[in-house]
């Protein structure tokens, strides 16, 4: 392998997609992943958080020519299926959008990672190294230190152009931070998560497979996403402390009582609920802001630069969009044998920073929406009105959720700004009364004025 090969730390989703894009551009790649090859080893139990693949991620995968391989692991979800508390009423669907094709897709992280690794392994110029940990980087010296934890061997690689795609716990970021080259602001969420498995029932899905199921309970929630084997991956998001909180679920009896009280319909579908709860790990969540993302020939990308909470389903999509933006900069740079990597990396990080900050904010806001707002009459009224205004003013009034999920041509920062203006318009139309599903003639006339003035 030529010494000018780009070194990618991290063989997860972003790292492997980027390896494919770079190789297709004729750039040699060495990719290092600290875990074993997932094609030959099972994924870690209880730490997947099924992913929601949306338009931004799909656009990047199409650009890399990978959609034919990805489609078999994609399951369409039309909206959120809301399981309201303390009612025998059947759950109801809140559609994600109203246009044909406005769906998002449940994908298994492990299955998607295997597809991407296999695609990268088939390309000339890609070297995959598993069970190898990247421990330190020195931008000034142009070196990357790697270690085989099993053998205890340590190597220093020279002439290193390094891209850190090694996730929220990035060793590359930690190395840059330790050298005083980046500042890192870690904002842990006070809520943790735990995954549970809802098995297939009588050979079929136990719940509607074309929806993301949500049991909103104001201060906490349970969600469930479908899998190709007709099971569901359920995830409980709950405060670390307090009651209710993970600390209060100290034994099987407390777990059973909590689920039977709050999520009875889901609990009935998990025959080994308490055993799973006891065995599966309790994961932590948070937001990471890094400044800058680039230091000479070293770049942070995806979660390594800007980890977010999972409540907008955009962590993977944002990381894939990172890869697409970087690849576009490389295309503009031409096919020169010697690239100005520091300038490319600096340009990339500056161009993406505002969008990363915007989706981090919207992801936190979406947690409040999913666990509480979907039960609020005002929220439901505004959602119905927003869809009505979108039908009447297509292209001008697009709900913020739709901008994020279905309109990759609209940046995250633009979606945040436009969404705030649209919410102000809805607030101006709302006097707390009137038809909960349709705007009146007078409201529509007022809305048209506001849209013309502000959007």
């Amino acid at each position: 392998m030529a010494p000018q090969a780009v070194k990618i730390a991290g063989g997860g989703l972003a790292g492997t997609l980027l390896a494919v894009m770079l190789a297709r551009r004729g750039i040699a790649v060495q990719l290092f992943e600290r875990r074993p090859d997932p094609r030959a080893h099972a994924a870690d139990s209880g730490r997947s958080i099924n992913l929601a693949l949306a338009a931004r991620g799909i656009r990047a995968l199409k650009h890399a020519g990978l959609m034919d391989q990805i489609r078999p692991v994609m399951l369409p979800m039309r909206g959120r299926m809301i399981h309201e508390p303390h009612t025998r009423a059947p759950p109801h669907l809140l559609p994600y959008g109203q246009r044909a094709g406005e769906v998002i897709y449940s994908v298994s992280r492990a299955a998607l990672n295997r597809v991407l690794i296999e695609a990268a392994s088939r390309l000339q110029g890609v070297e995959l190294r598993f069970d190898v940990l990247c421990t330190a980087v020195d931008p000034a010296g142009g070196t990357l230190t790697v270690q085989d934890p099993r053998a205890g061997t340590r190597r220093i690689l020279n002439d290193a152009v390094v891209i850190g795609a090694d996730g929220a716990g990035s060793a590359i970021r930690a190395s840059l931070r330790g050298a005083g080259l980046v500042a890192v602001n870690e904002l842990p969420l006070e809520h943790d998560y735990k995954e549970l498995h809802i098995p297939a029932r009588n050979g079929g899905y136990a719940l509607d497979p074309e929806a993301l199921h949500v049991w909103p309970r104001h201060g906490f929630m349970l969600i469930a996403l479908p899998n190709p084997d007709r099971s569901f991956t359920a995830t409980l998001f709950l405060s670390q402390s307090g009651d209710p909180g993970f600390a209060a679920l100290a034994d099987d009896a407390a777990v059973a009582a909590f689920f039977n009280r709050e999520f009875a319909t889901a609990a009935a579908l998990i025959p080994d609920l308490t055993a799973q709860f006891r065995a599966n790990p309790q994961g932590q969540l948070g937001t990471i802001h890094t400044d800058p993302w680039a230091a000479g020939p070293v770049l942070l990308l995806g979660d390594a630069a800007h980890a977010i909470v999972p409540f907008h389903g955009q962590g993977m999509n944002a990381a894939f969009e990172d890869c697409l933006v970087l690849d576009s900069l490389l295309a503009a740079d031409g096919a020169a044998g010697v690239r100005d990597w520091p300038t490319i990396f600096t340009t990339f990080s500056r161009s993406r920073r505002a969008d990363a900050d915007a989706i981090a904010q919207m992801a936190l806001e979406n947690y409040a929406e999913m666990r509480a707002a979907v039960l609020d009459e005002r929220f439901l009224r505004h959602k119905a009105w927003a869809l009505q205004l979108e039908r009447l003013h297509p292209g001008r009034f697009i709900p913020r959720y739709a901008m994020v999920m279905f309109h990759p041509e609209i940046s995250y920062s633009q979606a945040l700004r436009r969404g705030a203006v649209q919410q102000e318009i809805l607030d101006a139309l709302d006097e707390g009364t009137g038809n909960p599903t349709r705007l009146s003639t007078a409201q529509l006339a007022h809305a048209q004025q506001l849209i013309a003035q502000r959007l």
Side-chain angles (χ1 to χ4, degrees):
M1 181 66 67
Q4 289 300 321
V6 171
K7 279 76 171 170
I8 299 178
L13 301 178
T16 47
L17 178 60
L18 184 60
V20 170
M21 290 184 177
L22 295 181
R24 290 186 182 278
R25 203 159 290 287
I27 299 171
V29 175
Q30 288 180 307
L31 185 147
F32 303 94
E33 168 56 44
R34 66 181 177 87
R35 297 183 179 89
D37 188 339
R39 294 171 297 178
H41 295 79
D44 294 340
S45 175
R47 285 201 184 276
S48 66
I49 300 189
N50 270 38
L51 303 167
L53 179 62
R56 293 171 199 274
I58 290 172
R59 182 171 66 164
L61 292 168
K62 285 181 177 177
H63 176 80
L66 295 174
M67 280 306 295
D68 287 344
Q69 297 98 304
I70 301 298
R71 284 191 184 93
V73 301
M74 296 167 51
L75 292 175
M77 299 184 294
R78 296 173 293 123
R80 298 170 182 159
M81 189 69 75
I82 306 300
H83 299 252
E84 296 196 14
H86 313 305
T87 177
R88 294 186 177 181
H92 59 276
L93 184 73
L94 291 179
Y96 287 130
Q98 56 187 339
R99 295 188 176 100
E102 288 191 337
V103 299
I104 62 177
Y105 297 89
S106 173
V107 294
S108 159
R109 180 190 297 274
L112 181 55
N113 201 189
R114 285 192 294 269
V115 171
L116 291 173
I117 287 173
E118 186 61 30
S121 72
R122 294 176 179 172
L123 293 174
Q124 183 177 359
V126 176
E127 178 186 354
L128 303 177
R129 300 285 304 278
F130 296 97
D131 296 303
V132 176
L133 175 65
C134 296
T135 58
V137 66
D138 176 10
T143 62
L144 172 69
T145 303
V146 300
Q147 185 169 355
D148 183 340
R150 296 177 304 175
T153 59
R154 181 172 176 270
R155 296 171 55 210
I156 296 179
L157 308 178
N158 296 309
D159 301 315
V161 174
V162 179
I163 298 175
D166 48 344
S170 170
I172 300 299
R173 187 185 67 239
S175 180
L176 294 176
R177 183 184 196 178
L181 297 174
V182 302
V184 181
N185 186 18
E186 301 181 37
L187 304 172
L189 193 69
E190 294 182 354
H191 288 210
D192 286 351
Y193 74 91
K194 187 177 287 261
E195 289 192 350
L196 300 164
H197 181 74
I198 299 177
R201 196 173 196 184
N202 300 322
Y205 285 101
L207 299 163
D208 184 339
E210 294 190 358
L212 186 157
H213 292 261
V214 185
W215 289 260
R217 298 300 183 261
H218 295 285
F220 54 97
M221 69 177 182
L222 180 74
I223 67 170
L225 282 76
N227 297 310
D229 65 357
R230 294 180 172 79
S231 69
F232 280 82
T233 299
T235 309
L236 172 66
F237 298 97
L238 182 67
S239 173
Q240 298 163 0
S241 59
D243 190 5
F246 277 111
L249 304 179
D251 53 45
D252 289 356
V255 170
F258 171 71
F259 272 82
N260 289 329
R261 181 178 72 249
E262 299 292 348
F263 309 116
T265 55
L269 304 176
I270 310 174
D272 57 345
L273 170 63
T274 56
Q276 283 195 47
F277 197 93
R278 199 184 324 117
N280 289 348
Q282 182 174 320
Q284 296 180 327
L285 301 165
T287 303
I288 295 175
H289 297 281
T290 309
D291 184 31
W293 297 354
V298 180
L299 175 70
L300 299 172
L301 177 144
D303 282 356
H306 53 81
I308 62 176
V309 295
F311 305 113
H312 215 310
Q314 283 295 294
M316 171 186 64
N317 292 282
F320 283 0
E321 194 171 65
D322 279 355
C323 297
L324 181 58
V325 171
L326 180 58
D327 190 60
S328 299
L329 290 173
L330 292 170
D333 188 58
V338 178
R339 296 179 184 273
D340 184 357
W341 289 103
T343 297
I344 293 170
F345 288 168
T346 298
T347 301
F348 166 81
S349 60
R350 288 175 178 169
S351 69
R352 287 294 284 165
R353 178 62 185 271
D355 289 331
D357 289 345
I359 191 55
Q361 177 181 333
M362 290 187 285
L364 286 166
E365 292 173 357
N366 219 46
Y367 185 29
E369 177 177 311
M370 291 180 71
R371 74 177 194 251
V374 292
L375 300 173
D376 180 72
E377 291 183 0
R378 179 182 175 87
F379 169 83
L380 296 173
R381 184 166 65 244
H382 284 194
K383 183 174 178 62
W385 291 354
L387 293 176
Q388 185 181 1
L389 291 174
E390 183 184 17
R391 288 191 295 270
L392 294 171
H393 303 279
R396 295 287 298 278
F397 195 108
I398 305 172
R400 190 179 87 175
Y401 187 88
M403 284 190 280
V404 170
M405 304 302 283
F406 309 127
H407 291 271
E409 74 281 2
I410 300 174
S411 70
Y412 288 130
S413 52
Q414 288 175 314
L416 181 62
R417 290 193 298 270
R418 288 176 61 173
V421 173
Q422 290 175 174
Q423 187 57 53
E424 291 171 0
I425 291 173
L426 292 171
D427 290 339
L429 300 174
D430 195 349
E431 298 177 354
T433 59
N435 192 314
T437 59
R438 293 189 63 81
L439 292 163
S440 68
T441 301
Q443 286 173 312
L444 286 173
H446 189 198
Q448 187 169 359
Q449 285 183 326
L450 294 172
I451 291 171
Q453 293 168 358
R454 306 198 59 189
L455 290 176

